């Protein structure tokens, strides 16, 4: 899942970037209002963490404009001002939540995850289940039919995105935009390469990740009964 962090204070931005990356998110950082505008115009974010006081404009203005333009991603405001009126203002302008600085990273993380859970997906607590596949979003580990599967962070991110859209076709472009950082060097093969890695680890005979010719990939949500390691050999 890809996040945009809009924050002009470098230490805070670096702290958020490091912490959220370690938690398995693809993270872009914008340090002022125009950079944030440009980022939202060109990339697809699953959530935005938006500081209120920014060079070149306020987070409130940005939020209002983005909502007018149709941005649907949840927005979490960061504000140094602990005034009720500001909080209400932010939410009225289309924000989904707010956090007052200084904040604990764990609280920010919990709120971001809660915002992402409001999306079209099935998650129970920290677990995302698709048939026999279980993703533990907190521990960043996967299991298929009870068997742990060792995945790299990128593989996990890719599988998580497919799982959150299980049963629907996801284009290579969408996977690229939501799983890789915006400054990653575009490579038309990289998504296919990582899907191949995933399939190898999930078991090649198992049609969990289907290729939909000309459209992309689909994670089959149908409960699988023959995915035990024994059945795969
Ligand atoms: Ca600021």
């Amino acid at each position: 899942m890809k996040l945009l962090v809009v924050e002009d204070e470098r230490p805070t931005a670096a702290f958020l970037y490091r912490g959220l990356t370690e938690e398995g998110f693809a993270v872009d950082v914008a340090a002022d209002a125009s950079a944030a505008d440009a980022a939202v115009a060109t990339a697809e974010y699953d959530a935005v963490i938006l500081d209120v006081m920014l060079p070149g404009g306020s987070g409130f203005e940005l939020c209002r404009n983005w909502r007018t333009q149709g941005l649907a991603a949840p927005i979490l405001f960061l504000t140094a001002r602990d005034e009720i009126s500001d909080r209400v203002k932010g939410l009225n302008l289309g924000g989904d939540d707010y956090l007052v600085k200084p904040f604990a990273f764990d609280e920010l993380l919990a709120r971001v995850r809660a915002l992402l859970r409001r999306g079209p997906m099935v998650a129970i607590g920290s677990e995302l289940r698709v048939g026999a596949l279980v993703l533990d979003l907190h521990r960043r580990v996967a299991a298929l039919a009870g068997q742990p599967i060792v995945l790299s962070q990128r593989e996990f991110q890719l599988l998580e995105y497919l799982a959150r859209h299980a049963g629907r076709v996801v284009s290579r472009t969408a996977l690229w935009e939501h799983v890789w950082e915006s400054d990653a060097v575009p490579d038309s093969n990289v998504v296919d390469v990582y899907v191949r890695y995933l399939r190898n680890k999930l078991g090649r005979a198992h049609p969990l990740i289907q290729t939909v010719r000309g459209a992309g990939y689909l994670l089959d949500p149908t409960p699988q009964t023959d995915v035990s390691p024994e059945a795969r050999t």
Side-chain angles (χ1 to χ4, degrees):
M1 303 300 272
K2 187 162 169 175
L3 306 178
L4 175 63
V5 172
V6 185
E7 171 59 78
D8 59 305
E9 294 161 34
R10 281 175 176 271
T12 307
F15 165 73
L16 289 175
Y17 175 84
R18 194 171 56 243
L20 292 167
T21 301
E22 282 173 3
E23 291 296 330
F25 294 99
V27 182
D28 288 349
V29 176
D32 59 43
S34 63
D37 254 339
V40 164
T42 53
E44 294 287 333
Y45 296 103
D46 298 294
V48 179
I49 297 166
L50 182 56
D51 186 30
V52 172
M53 302 290 281
L54 291 165
S58 84
F60 292 146
E61 287 170 33
L62 287 174
C63 176
R64 187 179 54 212
N65 292 341
W66 294 341
R67 290 299 186 228
T68 305
Q69 293 158 15
L71 179 77
I75 294 175
L76 170 70
F77 282 112
L78 297 180
T79 175
R81 296 175 297 176
D82 190 14
E83 289 142 12
I84 295 295
S85 61
D86 275 351
R87 301 185 189 187
V88 171
K89 185 178 175 186
L91 299 179
N92 283 342
L93 289 173
D96 298 273
D97 200 358
Y98 61 86
L99 200 50
V100 176
K101 295 180 186 179
F103 54 84
F105 180 75
D106 284 351
E107 183 175 6
L108 176 117
L109 186 61
R111 286 172 183 269
V112 168
R113 285 186 171 138
L115 290 175
L116 292 173
R117 271 202 294 277
R118 292 179 195 171
M121 53 162 290
V122 181
I124 302 162
S126 67
E127 279 187 0
L128 193 55
R129 286 174 176 270
V130 180
L133 177 71
V134 179
L135 299 182
D136 185 323
L137 301 176
H138 285 188
R139 291 166 53 228
R140 313 297 296 172
V141 293
L144 185 61
Q147 299 296 314
I149 300 166
V150 178
L151 299 176
S152 71
Q153 175 155 299
R154 189 71 76 192
E155 289 162 356
F156 189 94
Q157 289 174 314
L158 186 59
L159 189 56
E160 179 187 352
Y161 196 81
L162 287 167
R164 285 177 185 269
H165 299 82
R168 283 173 283 165
V169 179
V170 181
S171 71
R172 288 175 177 80
T173 306
L175 289 170
W176 172 257
E177 288 178 339
H178 288 269
V179 175
W180 275 265
E181 292 77 13
S182 295
D183 59 0
V185 179
D187 177 346
S188 57
N189 288 325
V190 74
V191 172
D192 294 337
V193 168
Y194 273 85
V195 167
R196 193 153 67 237
Y197 293 160
L198 272 182
R199 281 177 169 155
N200 286 340
K201 292 186 174 181
L202 295 171
R204 288 193 68 82
H206 178 41
L208 194 64
I209 301 176
Q210 299 173 358
T211 303
V212 181
R213 200 170 289 277
Y217 293 105
L218 179 148
L219 188 69
D220 184 358
T222 313
Q224 305 289 326
T225 54
D226 60 343
V227 292
S228 65
E230 295 74 27
R232 263 189 262 146
T233 53

